[in-house]
Amino acid sequence: MEQLKKEIQEQHQLINRIRQEIAKELVGQTDLVDGLLAGILSSGHILIEGVPGLAKTSAVKALASTIQARFKRIQFTPDLLPADLIGTEIYRPKTGDFVTRKGPLFNNIILADEINRAPSKVQSALLEAMQENQVTIGDTTYVLPKPFLVLATQNPIEQEGTYPLPEAQVDRFMLKIIIDYPDRSQELDILNKSGFSVKDPVEAVMDTARIEQMAGLVRQIYVDDKLKEYIVDLVLATRQPQKYGMKIAEYVQFGASPRATIFLAQAARVRAFLQGRAYVTPQDIKIAAPDVLRHRIILSFEAEAEDVTTDEIIKTVFDFVEVP
């Protein structure tokens, strides 16, 4: 444990340097930055929801620059095809054979911009990549590079020309991060950085090999058995709220899946790592839980009619599930 603490403290300095480099491009949005770091350190995909102009794309580009990762942005549109993501086999008449041309998914960080603008056949092409870290082109399966991370953005206010994401795909996102407008001082900083001063370029802090090393440390962070039970109780409470004394069953059509249990433990570990600790606390779980659970709780018609949100359901769960 002492050796683990020492190694985490050393790596924590690099994490702070990454934050400083991203701050050259991004003002505020600390939750978004921590969420992106959580994704890259645990190989968990991230769904980012926010209105246009909140620097979602800039944050992802800055993260890719700091870790020397291969980055590719894909603009999702209604006419996008699965081959535009994974690649295809091209016939060569001169030789009479096929050659494989790999698509943009063969990079470390994929920014799926406005992911809900592509139809379901394109979304299905992402399922194998997001779950198995591999894609199949023709009869051949190709392993994707490590780390592999899908960071998807979607606009919550514009529904024209969009398609709802399949529940099976939404469940594969480790976190769903909601970002909001900056406050007054942050907006003034944004203005000063845009045209009134020269931006310092974002510099690389580490390579992907160091990220894999950090991910190994995250997997060693200690989680007490009581906290494991607490994680399980939080997830079970979304499925069977009446067993925990909550009167919200009429608002929940489906609770969180077992992936939520796994991802909540991973997210809590990353949270501890980002704080420079070798152990998880109940507060780590509480902070990580909303981003892990909000897209996995399917609300009923009654909840939609009464404007009950998933975040309100999660808050109720925290109020009723006893903290160890």
Side-chain angles (χ1 to χ4, degrees):
M1 179 62 74
E2 291 301 322
Q3 179 64 26
L4 180 61
K5 288 180 181 178
K6 182 179 178 181
E7 292 182 17
I8 289 176
Q9 288 295 334
E10 292 174 356
Q11 304 296 344
H12 189 249
Q13 297 176 5
L14 291 175
I15 291 295
N16 287 334
R17 283 189 58 196
I18 289 178
R19 288 191 174 111
Q20 292 169 6
E21 291 300 319
I22 293 178
K24 293 179 180 178
E25 184 69 29
L26 193 69
V27 175
Q29 303 291 13
T30 56
D31 291 342
L32 174 59
V33 174
D34 284 351
L36 295 178
L37 290 171
I40 202 72
L41 290 172
S42 58
S43 298
H45 310 293
I46 311 294
L47 181 60
I48 307 168
E49 185 175 289
V51 297
L54 295 183
K56 300 184 291 292
T57 303
S58 299
V60 175
K61 287 182 177 179
L63 174 67
S65 299
T66 61
I67 62 174
Q68 295 180 322
R70 288 186 296 166
F71 167 77
K72 183 65 70 174
R73 176 184 178 273
I74 307 172
Q75 180 64 52
F76 277 56
T77 56
D79 60 347
L80 201 67
L81 298 174
D84 296 328
L85 299 183
I86 65 175
T88 186
E89 291 183 330
I90 299 175
Y91 179 70
R92 296 189 294 189
K94 290 184 179 181
T95 59
D97 62 353
F98 288 87
V99 61
T100 299
R101 178 171 292 178
K102 296 180 178 179
L105 285 187
F106 287 86
N107 289 276
N108 298 116
I109 298 179
I110 307 299
L111 173 59
D113 219 353
E114 295 189 285
I115 189 173
N116 56 334
R117 289 199 175 278
S120 57
K121 64 181 179 180
V122 177
Q123 308 296 350
S124 64
L126 278 176
L127 293 181
E128 183 183 11
M130 293 175 65
Q131 182 64 28
E132 307 294 337
N133 276 30
Q134 65 182 31
V135 296
T136 302
I137 304 175
D139 296 329
T140 307
T141 298
Y142 299 89
V143 178
L144 295 172
K146 289 186 178 182
F148 174 73
L149 182 65
V150 175
L151 303 174
T153 68
Q154 65 178 13
N155 181 353
I157 62 173
E158 188 177 354
Q159 300 302 322
E160 185 177 352
T162 62
Y163 302 83
L165 296 179
E167 297 303 332
Q169 183 181 4
V170 171
D171 196 42
R172 282 170 168 80
F173 286 101
M174 176 181 174
L175 306 176
K176 180 179 180 181
I177 302 174
I178 306 295
I179 58 176
D180 204 353
Y181 290 111
D183 59 30
R184 186 179 185 278
S185 62
Q186 291 173 343
E187 191 129 6
L188 185 59
D189 288 342
I190 293 171
L191 178 61
N192 288 327
K193 281 191 174 185
S194 302
F196 291 93
S197 62
V198 178
K199 287 184 180 180
D200 294 326
V202 176
E203 298 178 358
V205 176
M206 65 184 74
D207 56 15
T208 54
R210 179 60 67 90
I211 288 292
E212 290 295 306
Q213 181 184 351
M214 287 185 176
L217 291 177
V218 170
R219 288 190 290 269
Q220 297 179 50
I221 288 179
Y222 175 72
V223 183
D224 189 82
D225 287 342
K226 291 183 178 180
L227 291 183
K228 293 178 183 177
E229 293 178 3
Y230 181 51
I231 291 172
V232 171
D233 283 335
L234 288 174
V235 176
L236 288 179
T238 67
R239 303 177 202 162
Q240 302 169 327
Q242 65 278 5
K243 289 189 176 182
Y244 294 84
M246 294 179 286
K247 299 180 180 180
I248 58 172
E250 61 178 325
Y251 299 133
V252 180
Q253 185 175 4
F254 296 103
S257 71
R259 278 199 187 100
T261 308
I262 298 170
F263 284 147
L264 183 50
Q266 290 180 2
R269 278 177 156 178
V270 173
R271 170 73 188 177
F273 179 82
L274 294 178
Q275 298 299 313
R277 284 185 277 102
Y279 57 90
V280 171
T281 67
Q283 191 64 20
D284 293 326
I285 298 171
K286 285 187 173 183
I287 293 175
D291 290 342
V292 174
L293 296 176
R294 65 164 54 97
H295 55 299
R296 293 184 164 87
I297 298 174
I298 310 301
L299 298 178
S300 65
F301 175 77
E302 288 80 0
E304 295 178 2
E306 298 182 27
D307 291 329
V308 176
T309 65
T310 53
D311 282 6
E312 291 173 348
I313 298 294
I314 294 169
K315 184 180 182 301
T316 303
V317 168
F318 279 132
D319 291 340
F320 280 82
V321 176
E322 185 178 353
V323 181

